[in-house]
Amino acid sequence: MSNRYAHPEVLVDTSWTEDHLKDPNVRIAEVDYDPKANYHLGHIPGSVLFDWKKDINDPLNRNIISKESCEELLKKSGINEDTTLILYGDFNNWFAAFAFWVFKYYGYEDVKIMNGGRKKWLEEDRSIDKTIPTYSTGHFKASSPDEKIRTYLNHVSESLKNRQSILVDVRSPAEFTGEVTAPAEYPTEHAQRGGHIPAAINIPWGKAVNEDGTFKSAEDLNKLYNENGVRPEKEVISYCRIGERSSHTWFVLKYLLGYPDVKNYDGSWTEWGNMIGNPIEK
């Protein structure tokens, strides 16, 4: 079994990032759930802020940003089609992985995640800055959505009858069993019903990372998912509560392990657990 990631090019380490702080062809972006507690207290020098709630999600609909909004966000950050974009963030890169998924959905080729995220950068005592940088407007052009990496309620419902589909619930065991209806980080944000989608396999996202927030080796990751019956020859659908933790697992399966058919169900439990009549297991 190979101990090399299927797509090692999607990861950079903190040293590489520090070495490219002034590279005009590289843009670094911090993706935060709460910028006040993170980005605004100090960030990687030269990095722009992508506020997960305001910038990556539609302001009105329960949806991600549109193609046009994605294009505008990247252009105002000085990003061109040939710019290498490095994402990092809080919560061990939950929201950086979500942004990575959204940008891939709209055709961004050269986007990477900084392994270990904000946590590792700070633990290594690397330089931070409170200056908000400004850049000349870029000319990035988004593509039509890649629906092969996203799935919706109806398809998930149909997948329950399909033995070629595997559902991976990446939430905590307590959320999976319905003991709690929201994660500890967001105790007030919950669905009407607890539990999980029938036949889903519970593999918490955190099992894929080391203590310092970096991703585990390919060998360890392969072992983790294979031992739980998650196989590359099947369609794999990851879900959590709102799609951010599941995008982290989507990234691991698709890019680090090279599974050919992995979809993120970003409607996740806040959609499934609130829908009248949806089947639920505990």
Side-chain angles (χ1 to χ4, degrees):
M1 186 179 293
S2 173
N3 199 28
R4 177 178 168 84
Y5 294 138
H7 298 283
E9 70 279 2
V10 298
L11 280 179
V12 296
D13 60 24
T14 51
S15 294
W16 187 98
T17 304
E18 189 170 53
D19 290 342
H20 289 78
L21 291 182
K22 296 183 179 180
D23 188 332
N25 296 316
V26 172
R27 180 72 67 249
I28 303 168
E30 179 166 319
V31 190
D32 285 336
Y33 181 82
D34 181 6
K36 290 181 180 178
N38 293 286
Y39 182 85
H40 293 303
L41 294 181
H43 47 266
I44 295 177
S47 63
V48 297
L49 169 67
F50 293 158
D51 184 318
W52 180 80
K53 287 178 281 190
K54 295 178 180 178
D55 296 327
I56 311 297
N57 286 278
D58 188 282
L60 293 177
N61 299 320
R62 166 70 166 92
N63 206 344
I64 60 173
I65 51 174
S66 66
K67 172 186 172 182
E68 293 74 21
S69 295
C70 177
E71 197 170 274
E72 187 61 30
L73 173 67
L74 295 173
K75 285 167 63 176
K76 77 176 185 180
S77 301
I79 293 171
N80 304 317
E81 291 175 21
D82 60 351
T83 300
T84 297
L85 175 60
I86 310 301
L87 302 172
Y88 77 99
D90 54 3
F91 288 106
N92 286 319
N93 278 332
W94 282 3
F95 299 98
F98 188 92
F100 181 99
W101 171 71
V102 170
F103 296 152
K104 284 294 184 185
Y105 184 66
Y106 290 121
Y108 199 141
E109 290 293 329
D110 196 9
V111 57
K112 308 175 190 293
I113 287 179
M114 187 182 80
N115 206 4
R118 179 181 174 87
K119 174 183 176 182
K120 193 168 194 296
W121 185 273
L122 294 177
E123 285 181 349
E124 293 173 345
D125 200 28
R126 297 182 186 271
S127 60
I128 59 171
D129 193 358
K130 292 185 179 181
T131 304
I132 309 299
T134 56
Y135 296 100
S136 300
T137 302
H139 51 70
F140 178 82
K141 292 290 183 183
S143 302
S144 298
D146 179 6
E147 297 294 353
K148 296 190 298 296
I149 65 172
R150 190 182 191 189
T151 196
Y152 305 90
L153 178 68
N154 288 342
H155 180 76
V156 176
S157 295
E158 287 299 314
S159 75
L160 301 186
K161 311 168 191 174
N162 183 2
R163 292 186 178 180
Q164 292 305 307
S165 295
I166 299 174
L167 283 161
V168 180
D169 186 319
V170 314
R171 299 174 300 161
S172 67
E175 290 173 89
F176 183 76
T177 61
E179 180 183 341
V180 299
T181 54
E185 293 84 2
Y186 317 110
T188 63
E189 300 181 18
H190 53 81
Q192 291 295 311
R193 295 291 182 269
H196 58 267
I197 300 174
I201 300 168
N202 185 213
I203 309 177
W205 72 274
K207 290 189 174 183
V209 297
N210 297 305
E211 196 65 36
D212 65 356
T214 57
F215 293 99
K216 289 183 177 178
S217 69
E219 182 178 9
D220 287 344
L221 292 172
N222 270 308
K223 182 179 179 182
L224 170 66
Y225 294 103
N226 286 338
E227 287 184 348
N228 283 279
V230 181
R231 308 291 300 175
E233 61 268 19
K234 296 192 175 185
E235 173 193 59
V236 181
I237 298 170
S238 60
Y239 77 93
C240 58
R241 182 183 62 94
I242 55 174
E244 89 294 17
R245 288 175 287 176
S246 56
S247 63
H248 189 279
T249 295
W250 169 86
F251 176 84
V252 169
L253 291 170
K254 183 168 181 63
Y255 284 94
L256 301 190
L257 297 185
Y259 280 38
D261 188 7
V262 190
K263 296 178 174 66
N264 186 26
Y265 171 36
D266 56 309
S268 282
W269 194 252
T270 52
E271 178 175 58
W272 191 274
N274 280 320
M275 292 290 289
I276 294 174
N278 266 355
I280 290 173
E281 288 182 353
K282 290 191 174 184

